[in-house]
Amino acid sequence: MKPHPRSSFRPVRSLLSCALAGCLVLGAAPVWAQSTGATIRGQVMVDSAPAGQAQVTATNLATGLSRSVQSTANGSYSLAGLPPGSYRIDVEAGGKRSSQNITVQVGQTATLNLGVGGVAETAGGTATTLDAVQVTAQAPVETKTSEVASYVSQKQIEVLPQGSRNFLAFADTVPGMIFESGADGSSKLRSGAQNSNGINVFIDGVGQKNYVLKGGISGQDSSSGSPFPQLAIGEYKVITSNYKAEYDQVSSAAVTAVTKSGTNEFHGSFFWDNTSENWRKPTFSEEQSGTKVPSSERQYGAAFGGPIVRDNLFFFATYEAKRIQRPREVRLGTSIYDPAWITPELASYLGPANASFDQDMYFGKLTWQAGDEHLVELSAKRRQEKELTGIGDGPNTSSYGSTKSNDSTRMDLRWQWSTLDWLNDLHLTSEDDFWNPRPVTLGPGRSIRSTLANFGDGDTLLNLGGGADYQNKGQKGYSLQNDLTFNGMERHTFKGGFKFKNVRIESFQQQPYNAQFRYDLGENLAAGRDLVADMVPWRVEFGAPLPGIADRNVISRNRQYGIYLQDDWQVTERLLLNLGVRYDYETTPSYEDYVTDPGLAAALRGWANLNGPNVDYDIENYISSGRERKADKNNWAPRLGFSYDLGGDERHVIFGGAGRSYDRNLFDYLALESSKRTFPGYTYFFNTDDHPCTVGSNNCIAWDPAYYEQDNLYALTQANPNLGAEVNLLNNHLVTPYSDQFSLGMRNLLTLAGQEWSTSVTFAHVRSYDGIVFSLGNRWPDGSFRDPATPGATWGGQPWGQPIPGYGTLIKADNGIDTRLNQLLLSAEKAYSPESPWAVTLAYTYSDAKENRLNAANSDEHYLFDYPSLDGLPFLRSVGIPEHRFVGTGMYEFWGITISGKLTLESPRPKDATNCLDAPSTLNCFFDPATPHGTFGFKQFDMAVQKEWDTGAGLRFRVRGDVLNVFNWQNFTDYDTWRGVVGVPNDNYLHRNGVGTVYPPRMFKLSFGLDW
């Protein structure tokens, strides 16, 4: 059996091998940990001498949670796994006591040196006498970490302007992050050169990974909703690279968030915000049409929490809702047509439309502090969405859209047990996430087309009737994960853990669900036919179930296994090493046990075209007997990080690291091999004057209106159901996609004009490997991919008309998509404090991003039909990744008024362009990503003003106004990427050729709220 072409590169490389070797030595002792808890560490001094065996106790000021440790012989101590919040740190040594307050953030490691009878120094360098006094300290800035990471605070979430209430929207204040909003209102978070699939979000230490669909986490594939109620999020940390070994199922950025909990005081809040078409400027397309589409957005919710038993049992609950009517406009899908074709009947379908979206989210949490050693939490989230999609902002009429549900239920039972040296964190979780689009109309779809475009197939002018999308995809299962931390060894914090997950993943799709007919508008109008009633199509695409298959739902009962070991080693007072290794693998029975249909296997092996002299792949690598495929168990991921404190006061720290991280193959891709065999797609042609074909050959038939009936189309396939059916085959040696990450940077704490600023400069290099790509498996009779009649052609001439004998087109899947990224990340922040009630964040990212995925219309593209494979293809600029990006935020409080703003600037994003102008002929065109000119790229400035009144009776009332896109900057999305042909340049190349813009235009939102 031929090995996977990249299998020789799978073993850990030399640089990473060093990290692995170190980890195995240092990880010999039992070690374990978790990702959301904070750590407070430092040294205890008595009369300026190290104090061994000192008792250090941290007490949460809001809940009374208490944790204690003893200092080691040199006075060092470490309190790990603390829920983020404010703590009183009590120390007792030599018969003396002192205390100090400190606030810690999610996943933070804060340094706090404690003195009894002398002087204590915080990480900020402020000295305070602590003998029998209490001092309140602000949250120290974490500088001594090897991670490329930043924090998003609760204050930022509450104050900064926003429109979606998606808590991930604030992540783009971190260098290297992009929060993308699609034209349909959907949103995704991405980092670096990879698409959003590489993201993972950890909430209270539990990953929210989507194993089936795109978007990285559950519910973010083409959704206008929020993944989690914002009222329930306390704060979060964004790590763009070089995360520690505890993070899994991620290849770009990791977000770790902590939810709110009840405290010893009852607190509640309520909010309501609203906007409509009267409070926004018209979109660019509305300006062109002169009609503003009615629209509205309402969001509301409430939260309440408090004690059930003081210092012991607490509750927290929240509910949030969205009710959105977004403006859409149905317009012609191309500018290539004869104006005489736009009859009054066709024009009647054009114009304004609405797309509705409803979301309800619930979250509840019980916290039980069963003594100082035990903390038990039970939390549950429920998310329900209904959305109307696929309408307008293009040729899709209202009848052609889809209605989509997107539901999620997740639960987490957590138990923390701690002693002086140990902290154990156990999670038992369940998840039930499903995504279900359905056509609005049941009936044939009608694609009205222009045939003046390339290749005679026509560009879409208008889509009517029933849409094609019918799916049911999701995941359901449970997991057990345990993390442990050991602090009992001098200068070492050992961590480690294991994870087991049993999850049933499903993929059901019938595409196209409704038969899709194509009509040549010019041909039909010339024949005097009515637009809908009696037009004659020249082509139909439809799906039909294969006989004898009762269940077309592709199901796989996957099992995931993971384990990691890690050591945070304080080598000297200035040098800290983070040494770790992670190992994961997953079994996917639907892929591993798949058996290729014997008839299909025989047809493939007997296919003369694959026995020609120029065949470039071995079909045996795609034929499975159920024994060739194995789970990829070579997923060792070493991670090495360091930080060096130049002055010993954590004000100037050099940091860096190298590591490998594995992601997942999406089941949506793996399931195509089975789903295409249960509900294959067919294409038939009708013999018309402008699209002639020979009736009785090559799926050519005479037109009959009876074919509008589904059963009559199915009858065409009954004699030979495989004839014309598209076949998808997966490589028998698929491996897990991964990335290698390298970083080097410096953090600084600076005092400017009496204010403390934190700055960071980082260079990051990331390479990702082995993304799945689908390519054309058909070959010409001599085995070549290019038409042998056109020797030397490098583009075009693919063997689409050379199907598998007795079947249809072959599409094969392999590992192959790779990216390369060099980034410069700059940040500066002045944090908010009550004493200095203003804040600023500045984030700049320079990206040199390349990929070997040619003809990638977007970053999610995984089909390649213009080349036989990605092997040997050049790395070109990644589409959709701006070279320069800047995000700045600011806030200021005075007299109960808070003013905040956010500015986002981007250089133009490269577009996927086709270059035939510089080629020898139109057969030698090539893909040449290029950047639009005459445009800034993207720019948006948002503002918010909030006024709060305290009634003095424990009730605070607030009014807030958000203005999104204050200057009504129009960010266009449609550009002409056709460079022209030899001798005939396209004068409109890289100029705007459409009316699509990023939503919203200038929009005002009014909000009311109560806090008690």
Side-chain angles (χ1 to χ4, degrees):
M1 189 62 62
K2 184 180 178 181
H4 183 272
R6 284 181 173 78
S7 61
S8 60
F9 296 98
R10 299 284 289 173
V12 178
R13 300 175 182 177
S14 58
L15 172 62
L16 300 180
S17 296
C18 296
L20 175 57
C23 291
L24 290 178
V25 172
L26 296 169
V31 292
W32 322 101
Q34 29 62 52
S35 60
T36 59
T39 298
I40 302 173
R41 67 184 178 191
Q43 189 177 34
V44 179
M45 306 288 288
V46 175
D47 297 326
S48 301
Q53 303 301 306
Q55 185 85 2
V56 182
T57 302
T59 303
N60 190 292
L61 299 179
T63 66
L65 172 69
S66 179
R67 294 269 173 81
S68 296
V69 296
Q70 283 186 343
S71 63
T72 60
N74 73 342
S76 64
Y77 75 95
S78 179
L79 287 156
L82 299 173
S86 295
Y87 288 84
R88 185 185 71 249
I89 309 300
D90 297 305
V91 58
E92 182 177 356
K96 298 181 180 180
R97 301 186 182 198
S98 66
S99 66
Q100 181 169 349
N101 289 5
I102 187 173
T103 299
V104 289
Q105 298 172 292
V106 56
Q108 181 184 18
T109 297
T111 299
L112 183 65
N113 294 327
L114 302 170
V116 181
V119 172
E121 293 185 2
T122 67
T126 302
T128 307
T129 300
L130 293 179
D131 192 10
V133 299
Q134 180 171 307
V135 179
T136 300
Q138 295 300 317
V141 177
E142 184 180 21
T143 59
K144 204 171 180 179
T145 175
S146 61
E147 297 172 326
V148 184
S150 297
Y151 292 89
V152 176
S153 68
Q154 178 64 38
K155 190 69 173 181
Q156 289 174 290
I157 296 173
E158 291 177 350
V159 171
L160 291 180
Q162 62 166 320
S164 66
R165 290 195 63 85
N166 184 335
F167 79 95
L168 294 176
F170 302 100
D172 69 355
T173 62
V174 175
M177 302 299 297
I178 299 177
F179 183 78
E180 295 182 330
S181 296
D184 61 352
S186 63
S187 58
K188 294 179 181 179
L189 187 65
R190 65 180 298 179
S191 175
Q194 301 175 63
N195 57 32
S196 58
N197 301 343
I199 295 286
N200 200 355
V201 175
F202 300 84
I203 296 181
D204 291 336
V206 178
Q208 310 292 302
K209 194 70 175 180
N210 195 333
Y211 305 124
V212 183
L213 299 167
K214 297 178 294 184
I217 62 173
S218 295
Q220 285 303 100
D221 182 286
S222 65
S223 171
S224 296
S226 305
F228 207 84
Q230 184 171 293
L231 279 177
I233 296 295
E235 58 187 28
Y236 61 95
K237 181 180 182 180
V238 182
I239 312 171
T240 54
S241 66
N242 200 33
Y243 19 78
K244 297 180 182 179
E246 59 207 86
Y247 295 97
D248 66 335
Q249 301 181 3
V250 58
S251 59
S252 59
V255 176
T256 178
V258 62
T259 59
K260 296 178 182 177
S261 301
T263 68
N264 275 326
E265 296 182 4
F266 289 102
H267 290 288
S269 63
F270 165 81
F271 79 93
W272 175 89
D273 67 44
N274 180 65
T275 188
S276 71
E277 77 278 4
N278 297 321
W279 291 357
R280 66 172 175 85
K281 296 284 287 185
T283 64
F284 184 78
S285 62
E286 289 174 331
E287 290 179 353
Q288 302 302 299
S289 66
T291 302
K292 185 186 282 190
V293 182
S295 63
S296 65
E297 294 187 25
R298 288 182 295 121
Q299 301 177 112
Y300 51 89
F304 186 54
I308 299 175
V309 179
R310 285 185 60 83
D311 291 334
N312 186 261
L313 183 62
F314 311 92
F315 75 94
F316 178 82
T318 186
Y319 165 75
E320 288 193 37
K322 294 176 184 277
R323 302 290 184 262
I324 300 174
Q325 290 288 332
R326 281 215 173 88
R328 296 287 185 264
E329 183 186 11
V330 180
R331 57 179 182 265
L332 298 177
T334 179
S335 58
I336 305 175
Y337 59 88
D338 185 336
W341 294 351
I342 312 305
T343 64
E345 184 179 7
L346 185 147
S348 68
Y349 289 95
L350 306 178
N354 274 118
S356 62
F357 174 82
D358 294 336
Q359 182 185 57
D360 295 280
M361 288 188 294
Y362 309 83
F363 175 76
K365 184 176 182 180
L366 289 174
T367 304
W368 179 29
Q369 296 176 177
D372 291 345
E373 294 183 344
H374 302 278
L375 174 66
V376 180
E377 293 180 335
L378 175 63
S379 61
K381 179 202 77 171
R382 174 65 176 161
R383 170 182 174 178
Q384 296 174 298
E385 288 181 5
K386 293 291 183 183
E387 185 170 13
L388 192 59
T389 64
I391 293 175
D393 291 344
N396 293 349
T397 60
S398 296
S399 66
Y400 198 76
S402 298
T403 179
K404 179 177 63 183
S405 65
N406 190 4
D407 299 334
S408 173
T409 301
R410 287 181 176 250
M411 301 186 70
D412 176 24
L413 176 61
R414 181 181 194 179
W415 172 40
Q416 282 190 347
W417 170 75
S418 62
T419 66
L420 291 178
D421 295 328
W422 298 88
L423 172 69
N424 192 76
D425 195 0
L426 177 69
H427 288 267
L428 178 62
T429 70
S430 69
E431 60 192 73
D432 188 347
D433 298 324
F434 276 85
W435 180 82
N436 309 284
R438 302 284 190 271
V440 172
T441 303
L442 299 181
R446 303 168 187 262
S447 182
I448 314 301
R449 299 207 167 203
S450 156
T451 55
L452 297 179
N454 299 323
F455 311 116
D457 198 24
D459 285 340
T460 303
L461 287 164
L462 204 63
N463 288 324
L464 309 170
D469 200 15
Y470 190 105
Q471 303 180 62
N472 182 39
K473 298 178 179 180
Q475 58 198 60
K476 183 176 182 179
Y478 67 89
S479 73
L480 176 69
Q481 67 182 67
N482 193 75
D483 304 287
L484 194 66
T485 302
F486 175 64
N487 295 305
M489 183 178 292
E490 192 80 26
R491 294 187 176 274
H492 293 275
T493 298
F494 290 111
K495 304 178 181 180
F498 72 87
K499 175 180 175 180
F500 169 74
K501 194 164 194 175
N502 187 323
V503 59
R504 170 188 166 118
I505 48 182
E506 302 181 26
S507 179
F508 176 84
Q509 65 180 45
Q510 294 187 357
Q511 291 180 313
Y513 182 74
N514 292 312
Q516 303 295 302
F517 292 85
R518 295 188 184 183
Y519 303 83
D520 184 330
L521 181 58
E523 177 185 30
N524 280 277
L525 290 177
R529 302 187 185 111
D530 181 77
L531 179 64
V532 176
D534 60 354
M535 286 182 68
V536 174
W538 93 86
R539 173 174 171 167
V540 63
E541 299 170 353
F542 64 95
L546 286 180
I549 299 178
D551 186 3
R552 298 195 299 276
N553 192 17
V554 184
I555 298 174
S556 187
R557 291 174 172 82
N558 285 26
R559 287 178 170 82
Q560 301 173 1
Y561 306 86
I563 188 169
Y564 71 91
L565 299 173
Q566 184 173 297
D567 178 25
D568 294 342
W569 179 19
Q570 188 73 55
V571 182
T572 69
E573 295 303 318
R574 299 188 180 190
L575 177 62
L576 174 67
L577 294 181
N578 307 116
L579 306 171
V581 63
R582 179 169 196 96
Y583 176 71
D584 296 274
Y585 81 92
E586 178 176 13
T587 63
T588 307
S590 68
Y591 165 74
E592 296 159 27
D593 301 337
Y594 182 80
V595 177
T596 306
D597 178 76
L600 173 60
L604 291 168
R605 289 177 171 132
W607 192 2
N609 296 31
L610 295 189
N611 293 313
N614 299 313
V615 177
D616 58 342
Y617 72 94
D618 185 354
I619 193 61
E620 291 297 331
N621 283 336
Y622 304 86
I623 299 175
S624 174
S625 66
R627 296 187 297 272
E628 292 83 359
R629 301 177 177 181
K630 306 295 181 184
D632 183 12
K633 296 184 179 181
N634 194 27
N635 301 339
W636 288 96
R639 299 175 191 177
L640 165 66
F642 79 92
S643 65
Y644 186 78
D645 185 356
L646 293 177
D649 55 2
E650 301 192 24
R651 297 188 66 82
H652 304 283
V653 177
I654 297 174
F655 66 96
R660 174 170 292 184
S661 188
Y662 284 87
D663 203 350
R664 288 291 183 271
N665 283 312
L666 290 182
F667 189 67
D668 200 23
Y669 302 164
L670 300 181
L672 288 173
E673 185 174 48
S674 297
S675 63
K676 291 292 185 180
R677 289 293 301 142
T678 62
F679 193 83
Y682 302 88
T683 300
Y684 279 78
F685 300 90
F686 304 111
N687 182 29
T688 68
D689 293 339
D690 288 2
H691 301 269
C693 60
T694 303
V695 174
S697 65
N698 294 324
N699 285 12
C700 179
I701 57 178
W703 167 245
D704 188 329
Y707 289 126
Y708 283 134
E709 297 294 329
Q710 180 175 272
D711 290 343
N712 294 327
L713 288 175
Y714 286 177
L716 295 173
T717 70
Q718 288 180 355
N720 186 349
N722 291 310
L723 186 62
E726 179 183 296
V727 174
N728 280 238
L729 295 178
L730 305 178
N731 194 302
N732 290 334
H733 308 287
L734 291 180
V735 295
T736 310
Y738 67 99
S739 68
D740 285 337
Q741 306 170 358
F742 307 85
S743 62
L744 181 64
M746 184 173 182
R747 296 188 185 92
N748 300 278
L749 293 179
L750 306 174
T751 302
L752 302 174
Q755 302 294 331
E756 193 84 345
W757 287 75
S758 60
T759 66
S760 177
V761 54
T762 308
F763 172 76
H765 177 72
V766 180
R767 293 195 174 199
S768 70
Y769 302 90
D770 289 334
I772 287 183
V773 59
F774 289 81
S775 58
L776 181 63
N778 293 4
R779 293 297 183 264
W780 292 97
D782 69 343
S784 62
F785 182 77
R786 304 292 177 191
D787 188 347
T790 57
T794 59
W795 190 79
Q798 303 98 317
W800 288 105
Q802 304 291 321
I804 306 168
Y807 293 82
T809 293
L810 170 61
I811 306 297
K812 58 185 181 69
D814 301 274
N815 295 112
I817 295 177
D818 299 339
T819 67
R820 297 174 181 175
L821 173 72
N822 292 313
Q823 275 191 328
L824 177 64
L825 310 172
L826 305 177
S827 69
E829 178 178 6
K830 187 274 174 187
Y832 169 89
S833 69
E835 295 76 21
S836 180
W838 62 278
V840 172
T841 68
L842 305 172
Y844 168 77
T845 305
Y846 168 79
S847 299
D848 175 20
K850 292 182 172 61
E851 60 188 26
N852 66 345
R853 174 173 39 196
L854 303 189
N855 194 23
N858 56 67
S859 60
D860 288 328
E861 185 60 65
H862 53 280
Y863 283 97
L864 175 80
F865 294 140
D866 296 297
Y867 296 90
S869 71
L870 289 173
D871 291 343
L873 293 183
F875 279 78
L876 302 178
R877 288 187 63 188
S878 297
V879 298
I881 308 295
E883 189 174 26
H884 304 278
R885 193 168 198 269
F886 171 81
V887 178
T889 71
M891 68 179 76
Y892 181 57
E893 282 186 356
F894 62 98
W895 300 334
I897 299 174
T898 304
I899 299 176
S900 63
K902 179 182 179 182
L903 174 66
T904 303
L905 302 174
E906 280 185 5
S907 59
R909 299 189 181 194
K911 302 288 184 179
D912 180 48
T914 304
N915 190 344
C916 295
L917 183 66
D918 298 330
S921 71
T922 55
L923 295 176
N924 294 84
C925 301
F926 57 94
F927 296 102
D928 186 15
T931 303
H933 48 74
T935 176
F936 189 86
F938 178 88
K939 53 184 179 179
Q940 182 167 321
F941 178 62
D942 305 327
M943 283 192 67
V945 179
Q946 177 176 296
K947 171 61 178 174
E948 184 173 276
W949 293 268
D950 192 336
T951 65
L955 182 67
R956 299 186 306 278
F957 174 70
R958 67 180 181 274
V959 177
R960 170 170 168 159
D962 287 69
V963 183
L964 307 178
N965 198 2
V966 173
F967 300 111
N968 198 34
W969 286 326
Q970 293 171 330
N971 299 292
F972 294 97
T973 58
D974 304 323
Y975 291 87
D976 191 338
T977 57
W978 173 255
R979 192 159 186 172
V981 296
V982 178
V984 187
N986 176 17
D987 294 335
N988 198 46
Y989 175 60
L990 292 183
H991 287 278
R992 181 173 57 82
N993 68 345
V995 296
T997 55
V998 177
Y999 194 80
R1002 180 162 63 231
M1003 175 186 291
F1004 174 71
K1005 299 186 70 175
L1006 180 63
S1007 303
F1008 298 94
L1010 295 172
D1011 293 295
W1012 63 90

